[in-house]
Amino acid sequence: MQVKDLAFTARQAAYDLSALSLEKRNEALKKIGQALQAHAAEIFAENRKDLADAERENLAAPLLKRLKFDEKKMQDVQAGIASLIALPDPLGHTLLARELNPGLNLYRISCPIGVIGVIFESRPDALVQIATLCLKSGNAALLKGGREALHTNRALFAAMEEGARGILPDGWAALLETRDDVNEMLSQDECIDLLIPRGSNAFVRYMMDHTRIPVMGHADGICHTYVDEYADIETAVKVTVDAKTQALAVCNATETLLVHERIAAAFLPPCAKALKEKGVEIRGDEKTQAIIDCLPAAEDDWATEYLDAILSIRIVNSLEEAIDHINHYGSHHTDAIITENESAKQRFMSRVDSAGVYVNCSTRFADGFRYGFGAEVGIATGKLHARGPVGLEGLCTYKYCLLGSGQTVGETTSYTHRDL
Amino acid sequence: MQVKDLAFTARQAAYDLSALSLEKRNEALKKIGQALQAHAAEIFAENRKDLADAERENLAAPLLKRLKFDEKKMQDVQAGIASLIALPDPLGHTLLARELNPGLNLYRISCPIGVIGVIFESRPDALVQIATLCLKSGNAALLKGGREALHTNRALFAAMEEGARGILPDGWAALLETRDDVNEMLSQDECIDLLIPRGSNAFVRYMMDHTRIPVMGHADGICHTYVDEYADIETAVKVTVDAKTQALAVCNATETLLVHERIAAAFLPPCAKALKEKGVEIRGDEKTQAIIDCLPAAEDDWATEYLDAILSIRIVNSLEEAIDHINHYGSHHTDAIITENESAKQRFMSRVDSAGVYVNCSTRFADGFRYGFGAEVGIATGKLHARGPVGLEGLCTYKYCLLGSGQTVGETTSYTHRDL
């Protein structure tokens, strides 16, 4: 089928899904889990094909690791489905209930968005995670995974379709496979309500430039840790090392360390020592180079997401300069201040224009699981609709239901606006 | 100043605004109201210039009426500002509070979006309404009004700037004047967070096609009233007449009436009579033409927002056909069912994909004032972020504030996820 037809079918399926009870959606999730387990051997075999192809193409080791789908990954997938089943229904919540006039009641009720297109990396478990998040929230999904995971994705998708057959409307999810499919998807604004690209900033911008469909951007993560003049040095070192090194190729790792000039001489030497023990390359501005042994940082460094064991360091004159740096070079993802000063905390939190503004803790906490959202479809760095880790709630919208008994605007001369 | 510079200044102002207390924002609103009153004579004089120009250009009477800014409109504007001051602060609300681990607490806090660009029609009172809504919600605003209101807008804007001087950061709002300004605005995605065009569907689509900035669409209103087979006929006639005729050139007026075939013979004659008494031209499909005297409806009629005393009527075989018609031809604005049947009500509300789904009342109720939102910046027909009438809440987003005492992800082995 062409993408146009898949999108149209998904649109129709979405109307059916929106009226499906929680019991039915959970039953489908359970059956999907069982079908995946039943087809485990085939899925692993298909994954070995992808891995063999990837090795022939000399894919880097971290990417090979993400591509692998084995018994351990299957266990994670099953645990994810079980926890999704246990989560409360995100649909049908009454977000507002108000009498407009006696007998005329307004309700704002949460409901699915409709049809969601997700483009994600070569991590086969992401396919299951995203499809099941969409299903739990009553959305139809068009799913485009990475080319390297093609065989695994086909096997996973076939098992999911088999599991859900007879419970969910046909076409509730579709698997897209090529870059051309993605391009076709961009013009289906009549049928697709939301696009969620997980990928590079350049890719997210490409999509925004070529579609009318709203794009929820999961783009770069240029996160900062700012060590204020009133920081506790031991805390600052510990948090900085975690924020940079606890994982490297992740969007919530700190890429730039900002340091107040009054604390730099005391803080930087022990921090640099701890970072170097973890194998981190430091690129500092001139003032930093005067205090510790490091490579020089260029202007480009402030705007680079290394996703690697590299940290840029800049010394600033004031909290304001740190905030300006973050708002200018950052990606509005997650930024932290280390300080014991209350007014600095407040000023940082109100003026830093990011989805996550942290005090005295690691930027690595920015994650749907750690926030207790159960699972996430991505981290939004835009400001509309959902911000930060996007879970079930971010995949829902609402409608206004107005229940009357023949009321007209002409006859309604006053409004009670009484919350029910 | 160029739009680029205005947008950059607004960006900086937005950071200051986001930290401004409710008292300061309300004080600015009060002073703006006083300044508008103090300059009333000049404003009226400038408006008379616009009116004279418009008359020379043979502007239609309803447009002339909207353009007029006199003592009565000034009173409305003053009442609007007073009610805005009385509304609670939309900022700083704790939307979620959760312990992730003892001593590590996550808060989701409402905050301004940042810089909002609004393009609106030639209604000078809209300038004040939108600017003050943005101010109350802590947003900076770039405002482009209709060409016909140029002199009035300049006078109103000068008074607002004078009133807010010394309280708000310079550049908290800027007035744009040309179509070129709007085009320049579209490329300022580094500085502008949200665009709200109030205008034709074609205009909204043009904007979506030419910018990366999220667009909150206030586009066509092709609203439907569906008279179900289980409708009370008296109610159906009364509500239909109100939905079509209570006001004509408004986005929430019903443009198409759908009628179940089993009730058509009983309902259509009295309804047509009542509509014709109000001067409404009826365009019906073949089945409708067989029951009442009317013009034939063409395919185009189903997709037309008349904004006039014209109603298209179509007879459907079932509730499902009505829902399909609405989802296909409608603009996802507001649609109503008239029925006494509970399952029809539920089915209509869950499957009609519109911001407003109404039971037994007029589509004309879709309005921020009637909903009790105090004021609205527009009605969103998209599904992301805000839907339906958009008031202060729709101009806000949130951030996640995570407050710790040195926590690292590496050392955090379990999560309590205890709501506070």
Side-chain angles (χ1 to χ4, degrees), chain A residues 247-323:
Chain A
L248 293 173
V250 290
C251 64
N252 57 13
T254 286
E255 305 291 18
T256 298
L257 179 68
L258 300 170
V259 182
H260 194 287
E261 60 178 1
R262 291 217 191 94
I263 204 170
F267 163 72
L268 280 177
C271 187
K273 182 167 177 284
L275 287 166
K276 283 177 184 171
E277 280 167 12
K278 294 276 188 177
V280 176
E281 172 187 316
I282 296 175
R283 302 183 187 174
D285 69 346
E286 283 190 17
K287 288 181 183 171
T288 303
Q289 293 168 50
I291 299 174
I292 57 169
D293 180 30
C294 64
L295 296 169
E299 171 71 16
D300 273 0
D301 281 291
W302 315 126
T304 300
E305 184 181 22
Y306 300 117
L307 294 171
D308 207 344
I310 305 170
L311 180 72
S312 56
I313 302 184
R314 182 175 173 184
I315 292 177
V316 295
N317 299 323
S318 63
L319 170 61
E320 281 60 41
E321 198 184 328
I323 293 170

Side-chain angles (χ1 to χ4, degrees), chain A residues 22-288:
Chain A
L22 175 65
E23 290 64 36
K24 284 278 174 198
R25 281 176 276 133
N26 279 342
E27 187 194 337
L29 287 169
K30 193 177 144 195
K31 290 282 169 60
I32 284 172
Q34 291 169 350
L36 287 168
Q37 195 64 60
H39 291 282
E42 292 156 58
I43 294 165
F44 300 156
E46 293 301 309
N47 185 248
R48 283 190 294 273
K49 287 188 199 166
D50 284 331
L51 286 171
D53 289 349
E55 274 167 27
R56 256 194 306 277
E57 291 177 25
N58 292 316
L59 214 66
L63 296 178
L64 276 175
K65 194 178 154 203
R66 293 169 92 168
L67 182 55
K68 191 168 185 177
F69 194 89
D70 54 7
E71 189 54 55
K72 168 76 181 59
K73 285 278 177 75
M74 178 61 90
Q75 284 171 20
D76 291 349
V77 158
Q78 295 291 344
I81 292 175
S83 77
L84 203 52
I85 290 174
L87 283 178
D89 196 352
L91 306 179
H93 287 258
T94 301
L95 308 170
L96 176 148
R98 180 175 292 169
E99 180 195 84
L100 301 191
N101 198 256
L104 184 66
N105 294 334
L106 181 72
Y107 301 91
R108 186 200 279 172
I109 309 284
S110 67
C111 66
I113 290 174
V115 179
I116 298 179
V118 190
I119 301 97
F120 53 98
E121 63 280 22
S122 291
R123 233 189 64 205
D125 48 325
L127 171 64
V128 182
Q129 199 180 61
I130 294 164
T132 53
L133 270 169
C134 287
L135 161 53
K136 176 89 182 194
S137 53
N139 291 289
L142 301 179
L143 306 158
K144 162 68 174 71
R147 186 180 56 83
E148 295 82 3
L150 185 66
H151 295 99
T152 322
N153 284 343
R154 283 183 184 168
L156 288 166
F157 189 77
M160 288 198 291
E161 268 202 320
E162 184 190 303
R165 196 163 296 143
I167 308 171
L168 301 183
D170 287 344
W172 66 277
L175 186 65
L176 309 187
E177 300 195 334
T178 67
R179 191 70 186 239
D180 281 352
D181 287 347
V182 173
N183 277 320
E184 253 200 84
M185 193 155 65
L186 299 180
S187 62
Q188 301 305 313
D189 57 306
E190 296 286 336
C191 289
I192 303 175
D193 296 298
L194 173 64
L195 291 172
I196 306 181
R198 317 207 310 181
S200 67
N201 207 346
F203 177 57
V204 173
R205 286 184 164 251
Y206 171 83
M207 296 198 59
M208 288 177 170
D209 284 348
H210 292 87
T211 188
R212 283 173 189 155
I213 305 170
V215 174
M216 193 144 70
H218 170 83
D220 281 1
I222 303 182
C223 299
H224 301 76
T225 296
Y226 164 59
V227 178
D228 186 49
E229 73 173 299
Y230 302 108
D232 173 79
I233 288 182
E234 199 181 323
T235 298
V237 171
K238 189 175 77 160
V239 169
T240 301
V241 170
D242 185 83
K244 178 69 249 181
T245 70
Q246 204 271 333
L248 293 173
V250 290
C251 64
N252 57 13
T254 286
E255 305 291 18
T256 298
L257 179 68
L258 300 170
V259 182
H260 194 287
E261 60 178 1
R262 291 217 191 94
I263 204 170
F267 163 72
L268 280 177
C271 187
K273 182 167 177 284
L275 287 166
K276 283 177 184 171
E277 280 167 12
K278 294 276 188 177
V280 176
E281 172 187 316
I282 296 175
R283 302 183 187 174
D285 69 346
E286 283 190 17
K287 288 181 183 171
T288 303

